[in-house]
Amino acid sequence: MAATTKTKTAAPATEPGTRDRLVRTASHLMQHGGYESTPVKQLVREAEATLGSLYHFFPGGKQELAVAAIRFGDGEFAQLLRDGLAGHEDPARAVEAVAELLADALAASDWRDGCPVTATALESVGRLPELQEACAQSFGHWQELVAQRLLASGIAEPEARDLAVTIVATLEGAEMTSQVTASRTPLLLAGRHLARLVASYLP
Amino acid sequence: MAATTKTKTAAPATEPGTRDRLVRTASHLMQHGGYESTPVKQLVREAEATLGSLYHFFPGGKQELAVAAIRFGDGEFAQLLRDGLAGHEDPARAVEAVAELLADALAASDWRDGCPVTATALESVGRLPELQEACAQSFGHWQELVAQRLLASGIAEPEARDLAVTIVATLEGAEMTSQVTASRTPLLLAGRHLARLVASYLP
DNA sequence: GTCTATAAGATGATAGAC
DNA sequence: GTCTATCATCTTATAGAC
């Protein structure tokens, strides 16, 4: 924390350093195939780094890098969530907008850029505890963002939090369905149904 | 199809043959870690088979066995769906019952026995076309079961089908969330919210 | 901090006896 | 149909020069 002074995210305007490139690339590749399908060799190649650099920044190897990648994906997904939720006065319409944003990103990437956490999350259950914990924290983080948005719209305390859990879960499930079936429909339907559900809780 | 006469599922009362053991074991292991996390060596060991048998029944190797395993998991999940949906007159309550069944199975397996398709589905997107196709068919199959149940309750044609897509997606997403967070809550909340949504479409 | 070469083991798949 | 031994390749990780 006080070693070289600028080891953390100091200058966001500068070009990303080797560590950042490794994390971003890992996040992107794990977004596709998950953890096991992503060999470190491909990782360092696409990050334009070397094995030496990887084990310099992440002595814990692939697993430690994967945890950092999940945290990074957590932040990226959170930003998309904030963008979508902020675009409309009506919270029901806001949730639907998030589903539409996800469908856009999915179609634009030929159905490959889904949730940056889901694939790894499933692989991690009961076998990679540190990764699983990072994934669980991501879900909690996103639920909190949705809950705050619902609370701000006047939905009461227990209902808003409960709804947020289901909203995030439904978006995850619908995104996966859209990916596998190569169709926007599941996400768009989920958006419509979630909007109806949220509206039914509005004061 | 007409080679040895009894190569298919002839006697369901007899103890399962080697082929069946391979398929069941593959389905069970892929239910946990997915495709890449399941080495063939572990597969044949737990199936009490040998490499020779695997490549005898599945000349296409691991991939061909994986497709058969997904089809098997498709059928198992479909049965759980039928059981849950048939238990209540009210379709809203029936959907909620499915979520409760899933939560029970999950907790009983220490959060490991989730959907037998999801993990593999995500890994397959854009990289294993035959597996991806089998996974997409599973989702379609389950959606059809739910749609028929809703239609039988008097929900009209386009609404019932659209709802079925969201119901299956939500159950998938909630089950994943329950697995990763080791908690029944996400599935139980999803069940409650889905019941409310279904009720809002009832005549 | 970065690089290459290499270790040590696991991986999917095959050969050929039985 | 089943078995074991083995292949070629790929895997994560390390060593040590620069």
Side-chain angles (χ1 to χ4, degrees):
Chain A
M1 283 283 184
T4 41
T5 318
K6 55 172 180 179
T7 11
K8 269 279 172 180
T9 37
T14 329
E15 69 203 24
T18 303
R19 205 200 113 104
D20 272 14
R21 285 201 315 277
L22 283 167
V23 173
R24 283 167 199 270
T25 306
S27 174
H28 190 235
L29 291 178
M30 285 165 57
Q31 186 177 33
H32 300 166
Y35 180 77
E36 301 283 356
S37 305
T38 305
V40 284
K41 233 175 178 173
Q42 181 190 4
L43 210 84
V44 296
R45 177 161 32 81
E46 296 198 18
E48 295 179 282
T50 63
L51 275 176
S53 298
L54 196 167
Y55 288 95
H56 169 73
F57 288 112
F58 302 95
K62 192 187 180 184
Q63 275 204 49
E64 190 182 341
L65 171 56
V67 170
I70 289 295
R71 299 235 165 88
F72 179 81
D74 175 353
E76 276 210 318
F77 198 85
Q79 192 52 54
L80 181 144
L81 221 43
R82 275 188 221 99
D83 290 347
L85 290 174
H88 299 269
E89 277 270 335
D90 175 19
R93 185 73 194 87
V95 168
E96 191 170 6
V98 170
E100 288 162 1
L101 275 184
L102 290 174
D104 291 343
L106 218 50
S109 70
D110 202 20
W111 317 105
R112 274 175 292 145
D113 287 4
C115 171
V117 171
T118 319
T120 303
L122 282 166
E123 282 178 312
S124 76
V125 174
R127 26 174 70 192
L128 301 159
E130 295 172 29
L131 259 184
Q132 181 175 351
E133 174 61 20
C135 295
Q137 284 175 5
S138 297
F139 293 142
H141 186 187
W142 303 336
Q143 289 163 5
E144 179 64 21
L145 282 175
V146 174
Q148 289 305 326
R149 178 67 180 78
L150 298 180
L151 286 167
S153 300
I155 298 181
E157 180 58 76
E159 286 84 8
R161 258 169 224 295
D162 290 354
L163 258 182
V165 175
T166 293
I167 288 170
V168 171
T170 299
L171 290 174
E172 297 285 339
E175 179 153 47
M176 183 201 59
T177 310
S178 276
Q179 284 191 264
V180 176
T181 60
S183 155
R184 304 168 68 98
T185 308
L187 263 172
L188 298 185
L189 286 177
R192 264 206 273 142
H193 289 131
L194 284 178
R196 184 183 176 108
L197 185 65
V198 169
S200 82
Y201 280 97
L202 242 39
Chain B
M1 282 285 185
T4 40
T5 317
K6 56 171 181 179
T7 14
K8 268 280 172 180
T9 37
T14 329
E15 68 202 30
T18 303
R19 204 199 114 103
D20 272 13
R21 284 203 314 279
L22 283 167
V23 173
R24 283 167 198 269
T25 306
S27 174
H28 189 235
L29 291 178
M30 287 165 57
Q31 186 178 32
H32 300 167
Y35 180 77
E36 300 284 355
S37 304
T38 305
V40 283
K41 235 175 178 175
Q42 182 189 3
L43 209 82
V44 296
R45 178 162 30 84
E46 296 198 16
E48 296 180 280
T50 63
L51 275 176
S53 299
L54 197 166
Y55 287 95
H56 169 72
F57 290 112
F58 303 95
K62 191 187 181 184
Q63 275 203 51
E64 190 182 341
L65 171 57
V67 170
I70 290 294
R71 299 235 167 87
F72 179 82
D74 176 353
E76 275 211 318
F77 198 87
Q79 193 51 53
L80 181 143
L81 221 42
R82 275 188 221 99
D83 291 346
L85 291 174
H88 298 269
E89 278 269 334
D90 176 19
R93 185 72 194 88
V95 169
E96 192 171 4
V98 171
E100 289 162 1
L101 276 183
L102 290 175
D104 290 345
L106 218 50
S109 70
D110 202 19
W111 317 106
R112 273 176 294 145
D113 287 4
C115 171
V117 171
T118 319
T120 304
L122 282 166
E123 282 178 313
S124 75
V125 174
R127 26 174 70 190
L128 301 160
E130 295 172 29
L131 260 183
Q132 181 176 351
E133 175 61 20
C135 294
Q137 284 175 5
S138 297
F139 293 140
H141 187 187
W142 304 335
Q143 288 162 6
E144 180 64 20
L145 282 176
V146 174
Q148 290 305 326
R149 179 66 181 79
L150 298 179
L151 287 166
S153 300
I155 298 181
E157 179 59 75
E159 285 84 9
R161 259 169 222 293
D162 290 355
L163 257 183
V165 175
T166 293
I167 288 169
V168 172
T170 298
L171 290 174
E172 296 286 339
E175 179 153 46
M176 184 201 60
T177 310
S178 276
Q179 284 192 263
V180 176
T181 60
S183 155
R184 303 168 70 98
T185 308
L187 262 173
L188 298 185
L189 287 176
R192 264 206 273 143
H193 289 132
L194 285 177
R196 184 182 177 110
L197 184 65
V198 169
S200 81
Y201 280 96
L202 242 40

